[in-house]
Amino acid sequence: MKHTLGAISLSLFALTAHAVQNGPAPTLDALKADGPYAVTSQTIKGNGFGAGTVYSPNTPGKYAVVAVCPGFVSAESSMTAISKRLATHGFVVVTIATNTLFDFPSSRATQLLAALKTTTALTTGPVAGKMDTSRQGVSGWSMGGGGTLEAAGSTPGLVSAVAYAPWDTSTTKMKVNKVPAAIIGGSSDVVAPVASHSQKFYDAIPATTPKMLPVINGADHFFPTKASEPASYSNIAWTKRFADGDTRYSPFLNGQDAALSSFTSNGPF
């Protein structure tokens, strides 16, 4: 397995001013299952996006908020499994339906940001009073992954981005991205091949921005439609590390997994 780690100082990745520890000390087995938080969902009307479903922990507290976008011609439900699992580990997560199934990454970026704005303004339903609006992140698959990286590039106030098998035709906004970004690819993806998409996007992100690119051996383009491993636990660990500032999750971001065909990062984190 190819394994590359950058030599950037840990001080660049401190990012713990917002450090929050929600939940018990993590183990890999625990990250590969639903977390300790039971969650409740509520639907929201779209305002700049199609519609959405918000998953929030039932336990009182303040949680980071993550918006998740599906891919080209894909329904919101394609992101349910991996996103709901993230919520069970202590996050407010909103999955969205896009305005049309054919929206391109730039539009999906705008819709992700609109979903965060709408969700964080909610004052009714199970999510009311449970959001830390200073900690917001984005995630998405395929063109939703491209939109994720564009949203991160245009919005430095975000704290985390996770892009699954991202597809895009532009790296312009990625070149100025300051938001910690995890890009997860599949070695057998023929829709958004790693060499022409994920790797290109990773390379475009500045070396001063925390970033990683694990490539799952044998995974095709559709691995994010399930809470499959190692994509799901990597998503949880990355979001915990950077949206919560919780360094207890750093050991799960080192690429030491036989399921990966390659791993590149500028960590350790």
Side-chain angles (χ1 to χ4, degrees):
M1 179 177 73
K2 178 184 176 183
H3 188 282
T4 305
L5 287 173
I8 291 180
S9 169
L10 271 172
S11 63
L12 292 175
F13 297 152
L15 298 177
T16 54
H18 52 269
V20 173
Q21 291 187 348
N22 284 329
T27 66
L28 184 57
D29 285 343
L31 290 180
K32 290 182 176 181
D34 285 350
Y37 296 91
V39 300
T40 301
S41 65
Q42 65 191 89
T43 58
I44 57 173
K45 294 182 179 180
N47 182 9
F49 58 102
T53 305
V54 180
Y55 300 93
S56 58
N58 294 343
T59 305
K62 291 290 187 179
Y63 304 98
V65 186
V66 180
V68 186
C69 183
F72 192 67
V73 302
S74 296
E76 175 190 350
S77 59
S78 64
M79 294 286 92
T80 297
I82 201 166
S83 302
K84 186 175 180 182
R85 174 162 289 177
L86 178 62
T88 68
H89 284 268
F91 295 95
V92 170
V93 182
V94 54
T95 57
I96 69 169
T98 48
N99 289 323
T100 79
L101 293 176
F102 309 103
D103 295 332
F104 271 63
S106 58
S107 174
R108 290 169 192 263
T110 301
Q111 292 179 60
L112 279 166
L113 298 174
L116 286 174
K117 183 177 181 179
T118 296
T119 302
T120 55
L122 290 171
T123 57
T124 59
V127 76
K130 294 178 179 176
M131 292 176 283
D132 181 347
T133 59
S134 70
R135 298 184 290 123
Q136 300 182 38
V138 286
S139 183
W141 166 48
S142 194
M143 285 197 188
T148 292
L149 297 175
E150 289 201 24
S154 66
T155 318
L158 296 174
V159 293
S160 176
V162 178
Y164 311 112
W167 188 103
D168 206 341
T169 59
S170 173
T171 60
T172 300
K173 291 181 179 178
M174 302 171 202
K175 291 177 180 178
V176 296
N177 177 42
K178 297 181 179 179
V179 178
I183 301 171
I184 305 174
S187 69
S188 297
D189 189 343
V190 297
V191 177
V194 169
S196 55
H197 290 273
S198 293
Q199 186 67 57
K200 182 170 67 174
F201 306 151
Y202 176 89
D203 292 343
I205 295 170
T208 51
T209 299
K211 59 181 180 176
M212 75 172 185
L213 172 56
V215 178
I216 304 170
N217 190 38
D220 64 16
H221 191 61
F222 298 92
F223 70 84
T225 61
K226 299 178 180 179
S228 58
E229 303 303 352
S232 182
Y233 83 70
S234 297
N235 171 44
I236 295 165
W238 188 266
T239 310
K240 281 285 192 179
R241 172 62 186 88
F242 291 105
D244 282 358
D246 192 340
T247 56
R248 296 180 300 170
Y249 291 82
S250 297
F252 308 104
L253 300 171
N254 59 15
Q256 298 297 322
D257 193 316
L260 300 178
S261 60
S262 65
F263 178 82
T264 309
S265 87
N266 60 357
F269 305 114

